[in-house]
């Protein structure tokens, strides 16, 4: 649950910062940027957790 909460907070933060950076009043670019960053974070988490499994 903590991992989901952290990812959602980061997604919201990315969206807000991208909204201020792009500054066009449109929501499409910040939303697309935040979604790409969210997918990148999830992919990195999945890749890191892949190598942590042992048979011990």
């Amino acid at each position: 649950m903590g991992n989901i909460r952290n990812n959602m907070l980061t997604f919201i933060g990315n969206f807000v910062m991208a909204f201020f950076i792009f500054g066009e009043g449109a929501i499409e670019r910040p939303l697309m940027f935040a979604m790409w960053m969210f997918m990148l974070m999830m992919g990195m988490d999945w890749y890191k957790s892949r190598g942590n499994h042992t048979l011990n």
Side-chain angles (χ1 to χ4, degrees):
M1 185 67 185
N3 194 19
I4 293 171
R5 185 186 68 229
N6 290 341
N7 284 336
M8 288 310 296
L9 287 174
T10 306
F11 173 77
I12 292 168
N14 281 337
F15 177 75
V16 169
M17 285 297 117
F19 189 77
F20 286 124
I21 289 171
F22 289 116
E24 299 171 351
I27 204 166
E28 293 87 13
R29 276 190 177 172
L31 186 61
M32 190 60 102
F33 175 78
M35 284 300 295
W36 280 113
M37 290 301 289
F38 183 71
M39 290 189 332
L40 178 67
M41 286 187 318
M42 293 297 286
M44 288 178 5
D45 285 343
W46 172 77
Y47 188 72
K48 283 193 302 187
S49 70
R50 226 179 59 166
N52 293 339
H53 297 293
T54 62
L55 296 175
N56 292 335

PDB file of all heavy atoms in Angstrom, residues 25-52:
ATOM      1  N   GLY A  25      -2.371  26.492 -20.030  1.00  0.00           N
ATOM      2  CA  GLY A  25      -3.758  26.388 -19.619  1.00  0.00           C
ATOM      3  C   GLY A  25      -4.427  25.117 -20.091  1.00  0.00           C
ATOM      4  O   GLY A  25      -5.563  24.841 -19.750  1.00  0.00           O
ATOM      5  N   ALA A  26      -3.715  24.336 -20.897  1.00  0.00           N
ATOM      6  CA  ALA A  26      -4.251  23.062 -21.368  1.00  0.00           C
ATOM      7  C   ALA A  26      -3.809  21.960 -20.415  1.00  0.00           C
ATOM      8  O   ALA A  26      -2.783  22.060 -19.753  1.00  0.00           O
ATOM      9  CB  ALA A  26      -3.760  22.771 -22.774  1.00  0.00           C
ATOM     10  N   ILE A  27      -4.584  20.911 -20.356  1.00  0.00           N
ATOM     11  CA  ILE A  27      -4.300  19.838 -19.411  1.00  0.00           C
ATOM     12  C   ILE A  27      -3.661  18.619 -20.101  1.00  0.00           C
ATOM     13  O   ILE A  27      -3.145  17.734 -19.437  1.00  0.00           O
ATOM     14  CB  ILE A  27      -5.601  19.451 -18.676  1.00  0.00           C
ATOM     15  CG1 ILE A  27      -5.290  18.816 -17.339  1.00  0.00           C
ATOM     16  CG2 ILE A  27      -6.473  18.558 -19.505  1.00  0.00           C
ATOM     17  CD1 ILE A  27      -6.469  18.710 -16.444  1.00  0.00           C
ATOM     18  N   GLU A  28      -3.654  18.584 -21.428  1.00  0.00           N
ATOM     19  CA  GLU A  28      -3.211  17.391 -22.138  1.00  0.00           C
ATOM     20  C   GLU A  28      -1.709  17.141 -21.988  1.00  0.00           C
ATOM     21  O   GLU A  28      -1.296  16.007 -21.720  1.00  0.00           O
ATOM     22  CB  GLU A  28      -3.555  17.472 -23.630  1.00  0.00           C
ATOM     23  CG  GLU A  28      -5.040  17.442 -23.914  1.00  0.00           C
ATOM     24  CD  GLU A  28      -5.665  18.814 -23.872  1.00  0.00           C
ATOM     25  OE1 GLU A  28      -4.911  19.825 -23.869  1.00  0.00           O
ATOM     26  OE2 GLU A  28      -6.901  18.880 -23.817  1.00  0.00           O
ATOM     27  N   ARG A  29      -0.905  18.164 -22.192  1.00  0.00           N
ATOM     28  CA  ARG A  29       0.550  17.978 -22.104  1.00  0.00           C
ATOM     29  C   ARG A  29       1.013  17.605 -20.701  1.00  0.00           C
ATOM     30  O   ARG A  29       1.787  16.665 -20.553  1.00  0.00           O
ATOM     31  CB  ARG A  29       1.281  19.218 -22.586  1.00  0.00           C
ATOM     32  CG  ARG A  29       1.443  19.262 -24.056  1.00  0.00           C
ATOM     33  CD  ARG A  29       2.387  20.370 -24.444  1.00  0.00           C
ATOM     34  NE  ARG A  29       2.596  20.367 -25.869  1.00  0.00           N
ATOM     35  CZ  ARG A  29       3.240  21.296 -26.509  1.00  0.00           C
ATOM     36  NH1 ARG A  29       3.732  22.323 -25.857  1.00  0.00           N
ATOM     37  NH2 ARG A  29       3.402  21.220 -27.807  1.00  0.00           N
ATOM     38  N   PRO A  30       0.569  18.304 -19.656  1.00  0.00           N
ATOM     39  CA  PRO A  30       0.989  17.884 -18.315  1.00  0.00           C
ATOM     40  C   PRO A  30       0.516  16.485 -17.955  1.00  0.00           C
ATOM     41  O   PRO A  30       1.242  15.727 -17.317  1.00  0.00           O
ATOM     42  CB  PRO A  30       0.352  18.921 -17.391  1.00  0.00           C
ATOM     43  CG  PRO A  30       0.101  20.096 -18.239  1.00  0.00           C
ATOM     44  CD  PRO A  30      -0.148  19.575 -19.610  1.00  0.00           C
ATOM     45  N   LEU A  31      -0.698  16.131 -18.388  1.00  0.00           N
ATOM     46  CA  LEU A  31      -1.204  14.795 -18.093  1.00  0.00           C
ATOM     47  C   LEU A  31      -0.387  13.738 -18.820  1.00  0.00           C
ATOM     48  O   LEU A  31      -0.049  12.701 -18.246  1.00  0.00           O
ATOM     49  CB  LEU A  31      -2.679  14.701 -18.482  1.00  0.00           C
ATOM     50  CG  LEU A  31      -3.381  13.412 -18.095  1.00  0.00           C
ATOM     51  CD1 LEU A  31      -3.353  13.231 -16.587  1.00  0.00           C
ATOM     52  CD2 LEU A  31      -4.804  13.429 -18.597  1.00  0.00           C
ATOM     53  N   MET A  32      -0.028  14.005 -20.064  1.00  0.00           N
ATOM     54  CA  MET A  32       0.776  13.047 -20.825  1.00  0.00           C
ATOM     55  C   MET A  32       2.167  12.923 -20.221  1.00  0.00           C
ATOM     56  O   MET A  32       2.690  11.805 -20.090  1.00  0.00           O
ATOM     57  CB  MET A  32       0.876  13.493 -22.286  1.00  0.00           C
ATOM     58  CG  MET A  32       1.482  12.456 -23.175  1.00  0.00           C
ATOM     59  SD  MET A  32       0.510  10.956 -23.165  1.00  0.00           S
ATOM     60  CE  MET A  32      -0.326  11.109 -24.687  1.00  0.00           C
ATOM     61  N   PHE A  33       2.762  14.030 -19.815  1.00  0.00           N
ATOM     62  CA  PHE A  33       4.078  13.995 -19.179  1.00  0.00           C
ATOM     63  C   PHE A  33       4.014  13.197 -17.880  1.00  0.00           C
ATOM     64  O   PHE A  33       4.874  12.344 -17.617  1.00  0.00           O
ATOM     65  CB  PHE A  33       4.554  15.428 -18.897  1.00  0.00           C
ATOM     66  CG  PHE A  33       5.849  15.491 -18.147  1.00  0.00           C
ATOM     67  CD1 PHE A  33       7.048  15.283 -18.805  1.00  0.00           C
ATOM     68  CD2 PHE A  33       5.863  15.748 -16.787  1.00  0.00           C
ATOM     69  CE1 PHE A  33       8.252  15.339 -18.116  1.00  0.00           C
ATOM     70  CE2 PHE A  33       7.056  15.809 -16.081  1.00  0.00           C
ATOM     71  CZ  PHE A  33       8.250  15.597 -16.745  1.00  0.00           C
ATOM     72  N   ALA A  34       3.001  13.447 -17.057  1.00  0.00           N
ATOM     73  CA  ALA A  34       2.871  12.738 -15.786  1.00  0.00           C
ATOM     74  C   ALA A  34       2.631  11.248 -16.015  1.00  0.00           C
ATOM     75  O   ALA A  34       3.151  10.412 -15.267  1.00  0.00           O
ATOM     76  CB  ALA A  34       1.743  13.342 -14.955  1.00  0.00           C
ATOM     77  N   MET A  35       1.871  10.886 -17.040  1.00  0.00           N
ATOM     78  CA  MET A  35       1.632   9.465 -17.326  1.00  0.00           C
ATOM     79  C   MET A  35       2.915   8.774 -17.769  1.00  0.00           C
ATOM     80  O   MET A  35       3.189   7.642 -17.358  1.00  0.00           O
ATOM     81  CB  MET A  35       0.551   9.309 -18.401  1.00  0.00           C
ATOM     82  CG  MET A  35      -0.841   9.552 -17.898  1.00  0.00           C
ATOM     83  SD  MET A  35      -1.354   8.450 -16.587  1.00  0.00           S
ATOM     84  CE  MET A  35      -1.366   6.894 -17.422  1.00  0.00           C
ATOM     85  N   TRP A  36       3.703   9.425 -18.619  1.00  0.00           N
ATOM     86  CA  TRP A  36       4.963   8.828 -19.058  1.00  0.00           C
ATOM     87  C   TRP A  36       5.926   8.649 -17.889  1.00  0.00           C
ATOM     88  O   TRP A  36       6.592   7.629 -17.761  1.00  0.00           O
ATOM     89  CB  TRP A  36       5.630   9.662 -20.148  1.00  0.00           C
ATOM     90  CG  TRP A  36       5.044   9.420 -21.497  1.00  0.00           C
ATOM     91  CD1 TRP A  36       4.330  10.318 -22.236  1.00  0.00           C
ATOM     92  CD2 TRP A  36       5.085   8.217 -22.267  1.00  0.00           C
ATOM     93  NE1 TRP A  36       3.934   9.734 -23.410  1.00  0.00           N
ATOM     94  CE2 TRP A  36       4.380   8.458 -23.466  1.00  0.00           C
ATOM     95  CE3 TRP A  36       5.637   6.963 -22.064  1.00  0.00           C
ATOM     96  CZ2 TRP A  36       4.221   7.484 -24.443  1.00  0.00           C
ATOM     97  CZ3 TRP A  36       5.485   5.999 -23.043  1.00  0.00           C
ATOM     98  CH2 TRP A  36       4.789   6.260 -24.214  1.00  0.00           C
ATOM     99  N   MET A  37       5.988   9.644 -17.008  1.00  0.00           N
ATOM    100  CA  MET A  37       6.851   9.521 -15.831  1.00  0.00           C
ATOM    101  C   MET A  37       6.355   8.420 -14.902  1.00  0.00           C
ATOM    102  O   MET A  37       7.149   7.683 -14.317  1.00  0.00           O
ATOM    103  CB  MET A  37       6.923  10.859 -15.087  1.00  0.00           C
ATOM    104  CG  MET A  37       7.678  11.927 -15.829  1.00  0.00           C
ATOM    105  SD  MET A  37       9.375  11.473 -16.200  1.00  0.00           S
ATOM    106  CE  MET A  37      10.073  11.539 -14.579  1.00  0.00           C
ATOM    107  N   PHE A  38       5.042   8.280 -14.758  1.00  0.00           N
ATOM    108  CA  PHE A  38       4.460   7.232 -13.927  1.00  0.00           C
ATOM    109  C   PHE A  38       4.810   5.857 -14.482  1.00  0.00           C
ATOM    110  O   PHE A  38       5.193   4.951 -13.736  1.00  0.00           O
ATOM    111  CB  PHE A  38       2.943   7.420 -13.843  1.00  0.00           C
ATOM    112  CG  PHE A  38       2.272   6.428 -12.959  1.00  0.00           C
ATOM    113  CD1 PHE A  38       2.437   6.484 -11.590  1.00  0.00           C
ATOM    114  CD2 PHE A  38       1.457   5.458 -13.494  1.00  0.00           C
ATOM    115  CE1 PHE A  38       1.810   5.578 -10.766  1.00  0.00           C
ATOM    116  CE2 PHE A  38       0.825   4.548 -12.681  1.00  0.00           C
ATOM    117  CZ  PHE A  38       1.001   4.602 -11.310  1.00  0.00           C
ATOM    118  N   MET A  39       4.697   5.698 -15.805  1.00  0.00           N
ATOM    119  CA  MET A  39       5.039   4.407 -16.412  1.00  0.00           C
ATOM    120  C   MET A  39       6.526   4.119 -16.271  1.00  0.00           C
ATOM    121  O   MET A  39       6.921   2.969 -16.048  1.00  0.00           O
ATOM    122  CB  MET A  39       4.607   4.389 -17.881  1.00  0.00           C
ATOM    123  CG  MET A  39       3.114   4.353 -18.010  1.00  0.00           C
ATOM    124  SD  MET A  39       2.409   4.069 -19.641  1.00  0.00           S
ATOM    125  CE  MET A  39       3.567   4.667 -20.786  1.00  0.00           C
ATOM    126  N   LEU A  40       7.365   5.141 -16.366  1.00  0.00           N
ATOM    127  CA  LEU A  40       8.797   4.959 -16.176  1.00  0.00           C
ATOM    128  C   LEU A  40       9.101   4.514 -14.743  1.00  0.00           C
ATOM    129  O   LEU A  40       9.887   3.585 -14.523  1.00  0.00           O
ATOM    130  CB  LEU A  40       9.537   6.256 -16.492  1.00  0.00           C
ATOM    131  CG  LEU A  40      11.044   6.248 -16.289  1.00  0.00           C
ATOM    132  CD1 LEU A  40      11.701   5.314 -17.296  1.00  0.00           C
ATOM    133  CD2 LEU A  40      11.601   7.643 -16.411  1.00  0.00           C
ATOM    134  N   MET A  41       8.458   5.142 -13.766  1.00  0.00           N
ATOM    135  CA  MET A  41       8.658   4.757 -12.357  1.00  0.00           C
ATOM    136  C   MET A  41       8.205   3.327 -12.105  1.00  0.00           C
ATOM    137  O   MET A  41       8.888   2.556 -11.426  1.00  0.00           O
ATOM    138  CB  MET A  41       7.880   5.694 -11.431  1.00  0.00           C
ATOM    139  CG  MET A  41       8.462   7.053 -11.288  1.00  0.00           C
ATOM    140  SD  MET A  41       7.625   8.051 -10.052  1.00  0.00           S
ATOM    141  CE  MET A  41       5.915   7.700 -10.331  1.00  0.00           C
ATOM    142  N   MET A  42       7.045   2.959 -12.639  1.00  0.00           N
ATOM    143  CA  MET A  42       6.531   1.609 -12.431  1.00  0.00           C
ATOM    144  C   MET A  42       7.447   0.583 -13.094  1.00  0.00           C
ATOM    145  O   MET A  42       7.693  -0.489 -12.543  1.00  0.00           O
ATOM    146  CB  MET A  42       5.110   1.484 -12.985  1.00  0.00           C
ATOM    147  CG  MET A  42       4.100   2.311 -12.237  1.00  0.00           C
ATOM    148  SD  MET A  42       3.899   1.826 -10.537  1.00  0.00           S
ATOM    149  CE  MET A  42       2.976   0.329 -10.745  1.00  0.00           C
ATOM    150  N   GLY A  43       7.961   0.914 -14.268  1.00  0.00           N
ATOM    151  CA  GLY A  43       8.881   0.011 -14.951  1.00  0.00           C
ATOM    152  C   GLY A  43      10.184  -0.166 -14.179  1.00  0.00           C
ATOM    153  O   GLY A  43      10.712  -1.277 -14.081  1.00  0.00           O
ATOM    154  N   MET A  44      10.696   0.918 -13.618  1.00  0.00           N
ATOM    155  CA  MET A  44      11.922   0.807 -12.833  1.00  0.00           C
ATOM    156  C   MET A  44      11.688   0.005 -11.559  1.00  0.00           C
ATOM    157  O   MET A  44      12.532  -0.807 -11.168  1.00  0.00           O
ATOM    158  CB  MET A  44      12.463   2.197 -12.497  1.00  0.00           C
ATOM    159  CG  MET A  44      13.051   2.873 -13.704  1.00  0.00           C
ATOM    160  SD  MET A  44      13.697   4.557 -13.511  1.00  0.00           S
ATOM    161  CE  MET A  44      13.576   4.948 -11.838  1.00  0.00           C
ATOM    162  N   ASP A  45      10.533   0.186 -10.902  1.00  0.00           N
ATOM    163  CA  ASP A  45      10.203  -0.600  -9.712  1.00  0.00           C
ATOM    164  C   ASP A  45      10.095  -2.082 -10.051  1.00  0.00           C
ATOM    165  O   ASP A  45      10.572  -2.945  -9.315  1.00  0.00           O
ATOM    166  CB  ASP A  45       8.897  -0.124  -9.082  1.00  0.00           C
ATOM    167  CG  ASP A  45       9.054   1.179  -8.335  1.00  0.00           C
ATOM    168  OD1 ASP A  45      10.211   1.556  -8.034  1.00  0.00           O
ATOM    169  OD2 ASP A  45       8.023   1.813  -8.061  1.00  0.00           O
ATOM    170  N   TRP A  46       9.448  -2.393 -11.169  1.00  0.00           N
ATOM    171  CA  TRP A  46       9.301  -3.784 -11.590  1.00  0.00           C
ATOM    172  C   TRP A  46      10.660  -4.400 -11.900  1.00  0.00           C
ATOM    173  O   TRP A  46      10.950  -5.526 -11.500  1.00  0.00           O
ATOM    174  CB  TRP A  46       8.397  -3.864 -12.820  1.00  0.00           C
ATOM    175  CG  TRP A  46       8.360  -5.237 -13.403  1.00  0.00           C
ATOM    176  CD1 TRP A  46       7.673  -6.304 -12.933  1.00  0.00           C
ATOM    177  CD2 TRP A  46       9.073  -5.677 -14.554  1.00  0.00           C
ATOM    178  NE1 TRP A  46       7.910  -7.384 -13.727  1.00  0.00           N
ATOM    179  CE2 TRP A  46       8.771  -7.033 -14.727  1.00  0.00           C
ATOM    180  CE3 TRP A  46       9.940  -5.061 -15.444  1.00  0.00           C
ATOM    181  CZ2 TRP A  46       9.296  -7.780 -15.775  1.00  0.00           C
ATOM    182  CZ3 TRP A  46      10.464  -5.800 -16.472  1.00  0.00           C
ATOM    183  CH2 TRP A  46      10.142  -7.150 -16.632  1.00  0.00           C
ATOM    184  N   TYR A  47      11.514  -3.646 -12.594  1.00  0.00           N
ATOM    185  CA  TYR A  47      12.831  -4.165 -12.960  1.00  0.00           C
ATOM    186  C   TYR A  47      13.702  -4.399 -11.726  1.00  0.00           C
ATOM    187  O   TYR A  47      14.416  -5.393 -11.644  1.00  0.00           O
ATOM    188  CB  TYR A  47      13.522  -3.203 -13.925  1.00  0.00           C
ATOM    189  CG  TYR A  47      14.797  -3.761 -14.501  1.00  0.00           C
ATOM    190  CD1 TYR A  47      14.747  -4.776 -15.448  1.00  0.00           C
ATOM    191  CD2 TYR A  47      16.030  -3.285 -14.102  1.00  0.00           C
ATOM    192  CE1 TYR A  47      15.898  -5.299 -15.987  1.00  0.00           C
ATOM    193  CE2 TYR A  47      17.199  -3.800 -14.631  1.00  0.00           C
ATOM    194  CZ  TYR A  47      17.131  -4.806 -15.564  1.00  0.00           C
ATOM    195  OH  TYR A  47      18.273  -5.330 -16.083  1.00  0.00           O
ATOM    196  N   LYS A  48      13.617  -3.494 -10.740  1.00  0.00           N
ATOM    197  CA  LYS A  48      14.396  -3.665  -9.505  1.00  0.00           C
ATOM    198  C   LYS A  48      13.880  -4.857  -8.704  1.00  0.00           C
ATOM    199  O   LYS A  48      14.664  -5.597  -8.132  1.00  0.00           O
ATOM    200  CB  LYS A  48      14.325  -2.400  -8.650  1.00  0.00           C
ATOM    201  CG  LYS A  48      15.212  -1.300  -9.153  1.00  0.00           C
ATOM    202  CD  LYS A  48      15.375  -0.186  -8.127  1.00  0.00           C
ATOM    203  CE  LYS A  48      14.060   0.407  -7.736  1.00  0.00           C
ATOM    204  NZ  LYS A  48      14.180   1.587  -6.878  1.00  0.00           N
ATOM    205  N   SER A  49      12.573  -5.047  -8.653  1.00  0.00           N
ATOM    206  CA  SER A  49      12.016  -6.154  -7.853  1.00  0.00           C
ATOM    207  C   SER A  49      12.228  -7.500  -8.528  1.00  0.00           C
ATOM    208  O   SER A  49      12.148  -8.528  -7.875  1.00  0.00           O
ATOM    209  CB  SER A  49      10.529  -5.920  -7.627  1.00  0.00           C
ATOM    210  OG  SER A  49       9.803  -6.073  -8.819  1.00  0.00           O
ATOM    211  N   ARG A  50      12.503  -7.502  -9.814  1.00  0.00           N
ATOM    212  CA  ARG A  50      12.715  -8.759 -10.542  1.00  0.00           C
ATOM    213  C   ARG A  50      13.935  -9.502 -10.052  1.00  0.00           C
ATOM    214  O   ARG A  50      13.930 -10.723  -9.989  1.00  0.00           O
ATOM    215  CB  ARG A  50      12.888  -8.432 -12.033  1.00  0.00           C
ATOM    216  CG  ARG A  50      12.114  -9.275 -12.949  1.00  0.00           C
ATOM    217  CD  ARG A  50      12.341  -8.839 -14.350  1.00  0.00           C
ATOM    218  NE  ARG A  50      13.758  -8.937 -14.675  1.00  0.00           N
ATOM    219  CZ  ARG A  50      14.274  -8.882 -15.868  1.00  0.00           C
ATOM    220  NH1 ARG A  50      13.479  -8.674 -16.875  1.00  0.00           N
ATOM    221  NH2 ARG A  50      15.558  -8.981 -16.086  1.00  0.00           N
ATOM    222  N   GLY A  51      14.981  -8.788  -9.703  1.00  0.00           N
ATOM    223  CA  GLY A  51      16.234  -9.419  -9.324  1.00  0.00           C
ATOM    224  C   GLY A  51      16.363  -9.727  -7.845  1.00  0.00           C
ATOM    225  O   GLY A  51      17.370 -10.252  -7.421  1.00  0.00           O
ATOM    226  N   ASN A  52      15.349  -9.420  -7.041  1.00  0.00           N
ATOM    227  CA  ASN A  52      15.444  -9.611  -5.602  1.00  0.00           C
ATOM    228  C   ASN A  52      14.953 -10.973  -5.135  1.00  0.00           C
ATOM    229  O   ASN A  52      14.949 -11.234  -3.939  1.00  0.00           O
ATOM    230  CB  ASN A  52      14.653  -8.523  -4.871  1.00  0.00           C
ATOM    231  CG  ASN A  52      15.275  -7.155  -5.052  1.00  0.00           C
ATOM    232  OD1 ASN A  52      16.455  -7.067  -5.366  1.00  0.00           O
ATOM    233  ND2 ASN A  52      14.511  -6.116  -4.865  1.00  0.00           N
TER     234      ASN A  52
END
